[in-house]
Amino acid sequence: MSRTANTITTWYIDPDAEDRMADGHAPIWRHLIDLIVERDLSRKSVLDFGCNQGGLLRHLYALRPFRKALGIDIAEQSVAKAEAFKGNIPVQHAVGGTLENWVDEFDLAISHEVIYLVEDIDAHAADIFKALKPGGVYYAVTGCHTDNPLWPKWLDLVAKRTNTIVQDRSITHYAASFAKAGFEVSARKLEYDGFIPFYADGWTPDFADALDYYTQTKIVFRLVKNAG
């Protein structure tokens, strides 16, 4: 397990909340995996940027087995748990926030609710672009953007609950940064179609907001590094 500077211990201030996060995200991960255009990953190398405790890669491998994968995150304890939980699947985990050691390495990259925490989005876009093979694809998912009507409330809530610094960007800002890096940029709404559980103390205590968030607000960018 490698380590770089600028790390944190866990994303959430409350470690129990960190452990519960995977359960809450699991149905969203499965829906996201179903949206991924690339169906056969058996010969593919996959990156999960901001892997937390590794749940997304474990779900992906169970549904669409890949050849190998890297999960990377700046949260040290979360990465340690990801490594402990991985079992026998072909996944490596690393502590860090950049990919300078992996160039032209991945066929597919994924991040789920990570890009809104990246301080320099232009540098991140360029970093992922270099890490992908020609023809590689990056799926970047976030509902944390200034086009989200809940965003003014969430800015304070994220600061209170997590060990992170939130960035203030629109959907267009993200798209422009990825295009600047050389990606062919497209996007869609997540449009989660499952049942959404009610949490009285969750991020959306108004249940109507939760229904809108997962169906209308959350965005999936599909970013292609053209082979040419």
Side-chain angles (χ1 to χ4, degrees), residues 155-173:
L155 278 171
D156 291 336
L157 199 57
V158 172
K160 290 176 182 177
R161 293 186 178 184
T162 74
N163 294 309
T164 57
I165 299 174
V166 181
Q167 307 301 316
D168 219 19
R169 302 185 185 105
S170 68
I171 294 171
T172 300
H173 187 160

Side-chain angles (χ1 to χ4, degrees), residues 165-212:
I165 299 174
V166 181
Q167 307 301 316
D168 219 19
R169 302 185 185 105
S170 68
I171 294 171
T172 300
H173 187 160
Y174 286 117
S177 292
F178 288 122
K180 180 181 176 182
F183 283 106
E184 176 185 310
V185 179
S186 60
R188 57 161 292 162
K189 294 179 179 180
L190 179 73
E191 294 181 332
Y192 177 67
D193 60 0
F195 285 91
I196 297 167
F198 171 68
Y199 297 107
D201 60 346
W203 292 93
T204 52
D206 186 324
F207 197 34
D209 288 338
L211 300 178
D212 288 340

